[in-house]
Amino acid sequence: MDIGAQKPNKEVVIVTGSSGMIGSALIHKLSEKYHVVGFDQDGYPFPPVEAECVCVDLTSDSRMDFAFKRIRYAYGNKIASVVHLAAYYDFLGEPSDLYDKVTVKGTERMLKYLQDFKVEQFIFSSSMLVYKPSSPGVLITEESPLEPKWDYPKSKVTTEKVMHEQRGEIPVVIMRIAGVYSEDGNSIPITNQVQRIYEKQLSARLYPANTAHGSTYVHRDDVINAIALAIDNRKDLQAEVVINIGDDETLSYKELQDIISTEIHDEKTPIIAIPKWFAKAGAFMQNLFGKAFIKPWMIDLANDHFEMDSSKAKNLLGWKPKHGLRDTLPKMIDNLKANPEKFYKENKLG
């Protein structure tokens, strides 16, 4: 439907990556209050029907120009918020120019075209992985040192710098988000751990690092709530603000293992400590004869511990996580048991 040059009664929010796991759920929530436009690639999957879909390519000036001409024609010059979720990532651990083309240059291109609009806010989804790892009991705050160790978080740090330098008068919110999960899975590291335990793979019992270490996660719905609150409170925030978004509790690797194995097999799966060289050799062989999730490069990061402090989000946004991984894992396992084929398909498990 062509809305033409009519101005909507609701304020306009643009969501990039609008057909993704977070983007699509975010649109469902925001559409209750805002007029949402979904920026996404051509073809399936599409954004939810509550949003107008505007096809765009972050790597193309001509496609970006077309997209923003559509915005101006249909909605005018004012944009309440741009929620930028689109980015490139993979777990191959190999260099890719797409990190620069999509994540860094794509964001830079968006900011360039947005300078001609009155934009009240730009929200960028960054990652917890930009930080230097901590240790159990030592919380990572927004002022903690940065030390990204592979291309995905490195591209986020570079993009954060681009935003600082090229935002112009556009207020920006950088959300450093923990690993996202839901009752359906939706977390690549967690669902792969679930698969190994469910299938009683030998690798489920082997670990080359301190099992008392772990990482903060956050429920998808809590991320969506944080973004919605940031939009609602946009006029009360500073011109540049960084906010951590994560659960209140950080589970260790052993706690994760114990909960998952108990929920699946009614008993804990013992973990056997192995040296890193052995783990790397095993990962290499698994990938040599198939496509295993664990890659040799991941072994060097297995001992990293990320424990985030999200009190700033609570103070600035009035946000509080309503979910926890400890309570959600049993529901995730219930969904696995109820329909293993569906769980494997939705989480792209081989």
Side-chain angles (χ1 to χ4, degrees):
M1 179 179 69
D2 190 354
I3 298 175
Q6 296 178 359
K7 307 301 186 291
N9 293 325
K10 296 179 179 179
E11 295 175 301
V12 174
V13 173
I14 297 173
V15 177
T16 73
S18 53
S19 65
M21 182 261 294
I22 296 175
S24 57
L26 178 64
I27 286 172
H28 289 312
K29 182 174 181 66
L30 293 181
S31 63
E32 300 170 3
K33 186 173 181 179
Y34 299 95
H35 193 102
V36 187
V37 180
F39 275 16
D40 221 300
Q41 296 177 322
D42 291 331
Y44 182 85
F46 303 102
V49 295
E50 292 96 329
E52 179 190 356
C53 178
V54 175
C55 295
V56 67
D57 181 349
L58 295 178
T59 68
S60 167
D61 275 307
S62 62
R63 294 294 300 277
M64 188 74 75
D65 181 63
F66 173 83
F68 280 107
K69 282 179 178 176
R70 171 60 191 170
I71 294 297
R72 189 182 301 281
Y73 176 70
Y75 308 109
N77 195 51
K78 185 178 179 181
I79 301 170
S81 183
V82 177
V83 184
H84 188 33
L85 303 173
Y88 178 76
Y89 74 94
D90 65 41
F91 282 89
L92 298 176
E94 299 172 356
S96 172
D97 61 357
L98 291 176
Y99 284 109
D100 182 64
K101 288 182 178 179
V102 176
T103 305
V104 180
K105 295 293 196 304
T107 304
E108 185 177 24
R109 186 171 286 108
M110 282 198 68
L111 287 171
K112 180 180 73 172
Y113 282 93
L114 284 169
Q115 298 304 315
D116 294 331
F117 291 79
K118 182 180 179 182
V119 185
E120 296 183 341
Q121 180 186 66
F122 189 101
I123 298 176
F124 176 65
S125 61
S126 190
S127 170
M128 168 188 71
L129 298 175
V130 301
Y131 289 114
K132 181 179 180 179
S134 64
S135 55
V138 178
L139 298 180
I140 296 172
T141 71
E142 290 80 0
E143 288 72 39
S144 295
L146 305 184
E147 191 182 277
K149 293 190 175 182
W150 53 292
D151 284 355
Y152 172 69
K154 286 179 181 178
S155 71
K156 293 292 189 180
V157 170
T158 303
T159 306
E160 289 184 14
K161 292 178 182 177
V162 166
M163 291 176 60
H164 171 72
E165 296 167 355
Q166 302 187 31
R167 69 178 182 85
E169 298 298 319
I170 300 174
V172 299
V173 177
I174 296 171
M175 287 193 173
R176 292 175 178 159
I177 302 172
V180 181
Y181 66 90
S182 77
E183 288 81 1
D184 297 321
N186 296 131
S187 165
I188 294 174
I190 292 176
T191 55
N192 276 270
Q193 188 173 359
V194 167
Q195 179 188 20
R196 292 192 297 270
I197 295 172
Y198 181 68
E199 297 178 1
K200 296 184 177 180
Q201 296 179 16
L202 176 61
S203 59
R205 302 182 61 184
L206 309 176
Y207 198 63
N210 189 340
T211 59
H213 289 189
S215 292
T216 302
Y217 286 87
V218 63
H219 195 284
R220 173 194 59 201
D221 294 349
D222 288 323
V223 174
I224 291 164
N225 189 37
I227 295 172
L229 285 169
I231 297 173
D232 290 346
N233 292 283
R234 62 190 181 277
K235 295 178 182 178
D236 298 324
L237 300 175
Q238 295 175 333
E240 288 190 48
V241 61
V242 178
I243 306 175
N244 288 345
I245 302 296
D247 282 351
D248 286 333
E249 181 184 27
T250 299
L251 298 179
S252 68
Y253 184 87
K254 184 178 187 305
E255 287 175 310
L256 269 177
Q257 182 89 349
D258 288 347
I259 294 170
I260 295 169
S261 58
T262 300
E263 290 295 326
I264 294 176
H265 300 303
D266 296 321
E267 62 180 4
K268 296 179 181 179
T269 301
I271 301 175
I272 302 171
I274 57 173
K276 283 189 175 182
W277 68 265
F278 185 80
K280 283 186 177 181
F284 176 79
M285 294 302 294
Q286 282 186 309
N287 283 276
L288 186 63
F289 296 103
K291 292 184 179 180
F293 167 68
I294 298 177
K295 311 296 182 186
W297 68 272
M298 296 180 183
I299 307 302
D300 289 327
L301 308 181
N303 207 47
D304 288 353
H305 180 82
F306 294 93
E307 190 167 347
M308 282 214 305
D309 177 1
S310 299
S311 58
K312 187 175 179 180
K314 298 173 185 177
N315 295 330
L316 284 182
L317 306 179
W319 174 82
K320 181 175 176 59
K322 298 178 181 178
H323 305 268
L325 185 54
R326 183 183 297 276
D327 295 328
T328 304
L329 279 172
K331 300 171 186 176
M332 192 187 300
I333 302 306
D334 285 343
N335 285 329
L336 165 66
K337 290 180 176 179
N339 193 332
E341 184 178 350
K342 179 183 178 183
F343 187 90
Y344 270 52
K345 182 177 180 181
E346 289 183 347
N347 290 287
K348 298 180 174 60
L349 301 172

